[in-house]
Amino acid sequence: MEMKAAVLYEANKPLAIETVELDDPKDGEVLVRIAAAGVCYSDYHVMKGEWSMPKPVVLGHEGAGIVEKVGAGVTRLSPGDHVILNFRANCGHCDHCIVGRPVLCDGIEAGRVFMFDGTVRLHRNGQDIHHMTRTACFAEYAVVPESGAVPIRSDMPLDKACLIGCSVMTGLGAVTNTARIEAGSDVAVIGCGGVGLNTIQGALLAGADRIIAVDLLDNKLEYAKEFGATDLINAGNGDAVARVRELTKGGVDYAFEVIGNPKTIIQAYEMCRIGGTTVIVGMAPENDIIEINALSLPRTERAIVGSWYGSARPWVDLPKLTDLYMRGRLKIDPMISRTWRLDEINEAYQTLAAGDVARSVILFD
Ligand code: APR
Ligand code: ZN
């Protein structure tokens, strides 16, 4: 079939909105009609050349839609199912999948811009086009592996559901799945964008006491307050580390870095009290290094842990987060500062880069 997609041919060049061909789903794959896709920073890392990825490529990993067609052997999905895309589609039988850590799945040999069989379904004029994270949802339709489309209740609005697919799961899961904070913990969150706001709301849901939000932009700190932050620090006005230590008498129990910057990762570590845990959620440019005083680790028993996709178990967590939203316990609506059409996507990314939005969403219907 033919459809409209946003294609990245080269880093630091605008995405091209053009008509591409999409093959039918093969064995174990499904075709999803995309309803909405979130404008997340991770795609921007690729656009800026901070993460390498084969090109041309259709980006987009925060999507929701409706299953249109299923390939042979698909048993868990049927046409008409409403789904959230899971950007860590997994094999289901490697050690990591078996022990319940599907985000770490290493059972598929093909790179994550190909379907499991190592080929692509996207083409244009005889040229193959890659699928970012096997989701490629900056397009009217996407072919994804069965495990990459998680069914949800059909009364969930899809423009909100798409954000559960990355920012909500990543931010909130860092608190509830990765760190599993205790009620009453003091928490700091550096970076209050689409992902960080969900770390804040995760901390609130998990019963944190102080939730200290740190950002460089006052508009982001206002969002942070709306999502549950108890204290706001603009890191542009003075020493954020000293301020956090002062507010908490020596540091927080958990510090979350949700930017992906070596400097703020070290700040997060320094904001932690003795025995505290620093959780790295933000994804840095691929060659960045952090330097931390080696002796400080044993002497203070501070832990540094990575959190990828909120340590998600997507087939359990994405429907659960959907239920939380439908029950009115999870905020998503205030994240959506504005919406766009697919052909406005380059402008949407300029707006993200300028820090003007909490999150924005591309609508297809
Ligand atoms: N100090 C404090 N805040 C900062 C700093 C800094 N030095 N630099 C940037 N920020 C803030 C921005 O103002 C913005 O509010 O970090 C926030 C980042 O938010 P977004 O741009 O919305 O990015 P988001 O989509 O939330 O992703 C954050 O998580 O999943 C990863 O790849 C993703 O690395 C990215 C990170
Ligand atoms: Zn994302």
Side-chain angles (χ1 to χ4, degrees), residues 68 82 103 186 223 232 353 355:
E68 185 100 350
H82 289 214
V103 167
D186 287 338
Y223 290 127
L232 310 176

Side-chain angles (χ1 to χ4, degrees), residues 242-257:
R243 184 79 192 110
V244 168
R245 286 196 176 149
E246 205 176 277
L247 283 171
T248 52
K249 300 192 179 68
V252 291
D253 301 294
Y254 294 92
F256 294 85
E257 199 276 358

Side-chain angles (χ1 to χ4, degrees), residues 40 42 61 166 359:
C40 177
S42 293
H61 64 281
C166 174
R359 198 47 140 209

Side-chain angles (χ1 to χ4, degrees), residues 1-9 18-26 29 31-32 34 54-60 112-115 117 119-144:
M1 67 183 289
E2 291 200 329
M3 62 158 187
K4 228 165 43 155
V7 186
L8 178 71
Y9 284 91
E18 48 192 27
T19 301
V20 302
E21 290 134 45
L22 183 65
D23 300 337
D24 267 352
K26 293 197 174 167
E29 298 169 1
L31 173 71
V32 178
I34 303 300
K55 294 175 197 68
V57 59
V58 172
L59 306 176
R112 289 175 58 224
V113 292
F114 299 98
M115 292 295 119
D117 69 359
T119 63
V120 297
R121 306 287 164 265
L122 288 162
H123 320 273
R124 183 167 190 270
N125 297 335
Q127 185 182 23
D128 281 352
I129 301 176
H130 301 85
H131 308 238
M132 176 179 176
T133 61
R134 305 188 175 110
T135 46
C137 57
F138 289 156
E140 293 173 306
Y141 291 84
V143 168
V144 304

Side-chain angles (χ1 to χ4, degrees), residues 40-43 61-62 87 165-167 170 195 359:
C40 177
Y41 206 96
S42 293
D43 312 274
H61 64 281
E62 191 174 59
F87 65 82
C166 174
S167 45
T170 302
V195 183
R359 198 47 140 209

Side-chain angles (χ1 to χ4, degrees), residues 41-42 45 191 193-195 215-217 220 258-259 264 282-283 359:
Y41 206 96
S42 293
H45 286 298
V195 183
D215 203 288
L216 289 172
L217 299 174
K220 302 292 180 134
V258 201
I259 301 164
T264 43
M283 306 191 84
R359 198 47 140 209

Side-chain angles (χ1 to χ4, degrees), residues 167-199:
S167 45
V168 176
M169 183 70 249
T170 302
L172 196 142
V175 179
T176 55
N177 289 348
T178 313
R180 297 174 179 248
I181 73 166
E182 303 80 17
S185 298
D186 287 338
V187 168
V189 178
I190 315 184
C192 306
V195 183
L197 290 175
N198 284 291
T199 304

